[in-house]
Amino acid sequence: MAEWTKRNLLGLEELDKDEIGIILDAAVSFKEISERPIKKVPTLRGKTVVMLFFEPSTRTRTSFELAAKRLSADTVSFNAAVSSLNKGETLKDTAKNIEAMKVDAVVVRHSSAGTPHILAQVLEPRVINAGDGAHEHPTQGLLDIFTIKEKKAKIEGLNVSIVGDILHSRVARSNIWGLTKLGANVTVCGPPTFIPPGIENMGAHPGPARSGRVKVTNNIEEAIAEADVINVLRIQTERQKEKFFPSVREYIMNFGIDLDRLKKCAKKDVLIMHPGPINRGIELTPEVADGPYSVILDQVTNGVAVRMAVLFLILGAK
Ligand code: CP
């Protein structure tokens, strides 16, 4: 039987199929706790978790805090904007000082890819990656996979289309690693400037064939038509120093998801996902975001359960 042996959670690239399965199974049990009138269990009493967020966040930070609190851990939120980083303190010194306060885990978000990996090498507390640059966002990948499995009852053999700004997306990378390891077929779709070169060689089974692999298309109708699940991504203007497409209007025409496009091309039971935050009216219309195909708020609900599972496993609870 597979066992959980990882000290940290840095990315889905480094987890195997069984380890992903352990987290998903644990999350099923933890989801029920958030449905109770008293949403708290003593599992992590006495543990301290610090949120080290160097980039903005609504969903990830709040749901990690709720997850830790529902497991009875103490939480502290580090606010980079009013911290001594502004007096020139380094990231490593900041993290070592927080370690010196005897914390058990740090949840790290940073604009530079690899920051959680560097901290994991120098810190005794456990490190959980809450998004590092355009590299990985493992708990988002896990909650996306959890939501797909909850709605479709399987992952293997499903076609998942990821549409939009793939180039700057850590969500796309974690989804590709996790989904292909579990046997889904991933298609990425967007303007050629948003498709990283060689992405078809990413994932658990690199190469040109179909099963459990990554396909690239610039044709939105093809990406919609074959999909059991469409995961729509935001254009990350904050990570773009140059112009990647001629105009927003043209982007909407070529890649925006609206009800007409879904009615024309999509399977009747397609799921529409989005990691948030949504740019309504650009990558998808409000009618789609709030419509019958959307599971966007289910993703957010499931994020708490998945993060409870991750904290439980990482903090070594029996
Ligand atoms: N999905 C996601 O990471 O959202 P936040 O940036 O609000 O945490």
Side-chain angles (χ1 to χ4, degrees), residues 207-228:
R210 192 69 189 94
S211 176
R213 292 167 164 88
V214 179
K215 177 181 135 184
V216 175
T217 179
N218 307 121
N219 182 332
I220 187 65
E221 300 200 340
E222 179 188 333
I224 291 174
E226 69 185 24
D228 299 297

Side-chain angles (χ1 to χ4, degrees), residues 53 56-61 109 130 137 140 170-171 275-277:
F53 278 60
S57 169
T58 296
R59 282 145 290 268
T60 312
R61 183 180 185 141
R109 170 170 288 190
H137 190 348
Q140 181 70 45
R170 52 197 177 205
V171 174

Side-chain angles (χ1 to χ4, degrees), residues 66-98:
L66 286 172
K69 286 183 195 307
R70 286 180 189 173
L71 294 171
S72 298
D74 295 312
T75 64
V76 176
S77 261
F78 165 84
N79 185 346
V82 294
S83 75
S84 291
L85 286 166
N86 297 304
K87 302 175 197 164
E89 190 167 35
T90 64
L91 171 74
K92 185 178 165 190
D93 280 342
T94 302
K96 290 300 281 182
N97 277 266
I98 286 167

Side-chain angles (χ1 to χ4, degrees), residues 34 43 87 115 198 231-232:
S34 295
T43 315
K87 302 175 197 164
T115 298
N231 200 346
V232 190

